[in-house]
Amino acid sequence: MNLSRRDLLKASGLGAAALALGGTAASAAENPAAATELMPKPAGKRVVIIGGGWGGLTAARYIKKEAPEAEVVVLEKRDVFASCPISNEWLAGEVNMDFLTRDYFTAAKEFGYKMIQTTVTDIDRSSRTVKTTTGTIGYDYLLLSPGIAYDYSKWFGNDTQAAERCRQECPPALIHGSEHVALKKMLEDFEGGNFIVSIPDGAYRCPPAPYERVAMMAHYMKKNGIKGKIILLDPKAKPMPKGPGFLAAYKELYPDIVDYRPNSLVKTVDLDKKEVVVAVTTDDRTDEVRIPYAAANLMPVNKASEIIAMAGVSQGKAGWGMMSAPTFQTKADERVFVIGDAVGGYPYPKSGSIANGQGHIVAAHIAAMIQGRPVAKEVTLPQNICYSMVNGEEAISIGVTFSLMDDKDLNGNDIKVIKPKMTENNTRSTALGKTTHEWYNGMMRDIFGS
Ligand SMILES: Cc1cc2nc3c(=O)[nH]c(=O)nc-3n(C[C@H](O)[C@H](O)[C@H](O)COP(=O)(O)OP(=O)(O)OC[C@H]3O[C@@H](n4cnc5c(N)ncnc54)[C@H](O)[C@@H]3O)c2cc1C
């Protein structure tokens, strides 16, 4: 008798469940989680959101608000939300950890979405199924807001052990967790010498964040009388917000502490000798220099979270998610959306403000699709403002506004493109310092309700 795959599954007693989940008898036997459905099938539509960060949680709240009949499920690997914005102030001891953290349960209960703590391991778009370490879940609409990952290959090639050693010994702290806590301990234990901070090459999470971090680390050292130097290695010719803001703060507030070095690209790190190997470019030449460090906060090239590749909606070397402006629907699949730092091919900076704004847009779009309404053709584009503290009280701000403009494509056809325009307030002030906290509290209220 010739048995089909379906017959074999039936005989094994796994039939319908395993097929519905896109799994196989073998995979279910090897991995019991593959056979477990995380939740029973809902009566109506289900939206699954991967990533309970700034973008994902905003969308969860507002999809549920606009389409209460839908089931909204957030899959998040972490147990607690911890904010990267304001973490540089926390590093310098200006705010405590309570200010940065929120539990995941209260907002989920208040706003009516489901939160599941689990790690996503695969996505099968043909069966509309997400696989996780604890089970699988089907979706009608899938929203990806998984953030960034690190790419150490430029420094260490395929040597993943060296990469992991570097992450632990010189924590980049662009993703919240042990890296931030380890960096704070390094700063508190620092007794002098060089503290090297390096800025990633290419697009990275929150362009002003490393400059703000250096100012706040210097503030901590000055306040606590710690002798030593922070060497800031920047692959660019100038700080990202191009005005004088950060450089003026370094010069006027921390002249003996901060040593800003433009055109300095990290090539590799000698972890045994504790030296950073840097290509320094001047007008007519590039020299390789080795700089010793007592402590280091080294930020490698950023790339998209592996979730984007799992969904098959990535493009380019860094794997950023490709979607159609301005709805955040992926080009590959109209039921799959990408927002936040994982987005590529769009002139948006990778910021919490933008992830939150995109969360609102995508929520309206998905709710309309669920309810069979026409989706809005024109949307209000999210705008960005980043406040950066330079000491315990004062901040500067960098804003980017975006507008849809008329343009021509390569064939001369009329098209609409999104164009950014930078606005900066480089004059540091205590008023901007206060606004920094007002902005953050407003964001937390919008995402968590409190
Ligand atoms: C030091 C620092 C300062 C910053 N300051 C500011 C600021 O002042 N203003 C501002 O606007 N922005 C700021 N940012 C940037 C801001 O933090 C990010 O832009 C924002 O977090 C992006 O939101 P997101 O939803 O894309 O990603 P995230 O908020 O990182 O959320 C992604 C979530 O996905 C989860 N995830 C990933 N993979 C999986 C998986 N396989 N399974 C399950 N869950 C998964 C992660 O655990 C994470 O919780 C700062 C960043 C840093 C590092």
Side-chain angles (χ1 to χ4, degrees), residues 95 98 143-144 186 199-200 202 204 208 220 239 259 262 298 341 346 356 364 367 371 378 393 406 431 440 446:
V95 298
D98 282 356
L143 173 58
L144 314 173
M186 277 165 56
I199 295 177
Y204 65 93
Y220 178 87
D259 176 356
L298 304 180
D341 287 358
Y346 221 36
N356 169 265
Q371 294 172 344
E378 298 282 322
E393 289 177 345
D406 293 323
Y440 174 73
D446 191 48

Side-chain angles (χ1 to χ4, degrees), residues 50-57 75-78 81 83-88 104 118-121 145-148 173-175 180 205-206 209-210 212-213 305-307 310 339-342 349-355 384-388 436 439:
I50 302 178
W54 283 65
L57 294 181
L75 307 177
E76 168 56 51
K77 63 184 172 185
R78 289 192 281 185
F81 174 91
S83 172
C84 279
I86 311 290
S87 66
N88 290 329
Y104 279 122
T118 191
T119 299
V120 172
T121 54
S145 190
I148 60 155
L174 288 175
I175 298 173
H180 278 79
R205 168 167 277 183
C206 195
E212 178 192 54
R213 178 174 288 164
S305 153
E306 67 285 1
I307 293 292
M310 279 178 205
I339 57 170
D341 287 358
K350 301 188 183 305
S351 83
S353 277
I354 288 292
N384 187 59
I385 180 102
C386 277
Y387 298 97
S388 298
T436 305
W439 166 82

Side-chain angles (χ1 to χ4, degrees), residues 129-158:
T129 307
V130 176
K131 298 181 184 174
T132 79
T133 44
T134 50
T136 57
I137 186 164
Y139 63 82
D140 296 290
Y141 300 98
L142 179 65
L143 173 58
L144 314 173
S145 190
I148 60 155
Y150 301 130
D151 177 2
Y152 278 99
S153 63
K154 285 245 170 79
W155 295 354
F156 303 112
N158 294 328

Side-chain angles (χ1 to χ4, degrees), residues 89 94 216 219 254 389-394:
E89 278 184 79
E94 294 294 325
M216 293 312 292
H219 168 66
Y254 315 114
M389 299 297 292
V390 292
N391 57 27
E393 289 177 345
E394 296 171 306

Side-chain angles (χ1 to χ4, degrees), residues 38-57:
L38 287 175
M39 294 184 63
K41 225 177 159 7
K45 303 279 186 222
R46 177 190 278 156
V47 183
V48 170
I49 299 176
I50 302 178
W54 283 65
L57 294 181

Side-chain angles (χ1 to χ4, degrees), residues 404-418:
L404 263 185
M405 312 273 279
D406 293 323
D407 207 341
K408 300 266 182 212
D409 68 12
L410 291 175
N411 301 319
N413 302 316
D414 289 334
I415 51 165
K416 293 261 182 208
V417 291
I418 294 173

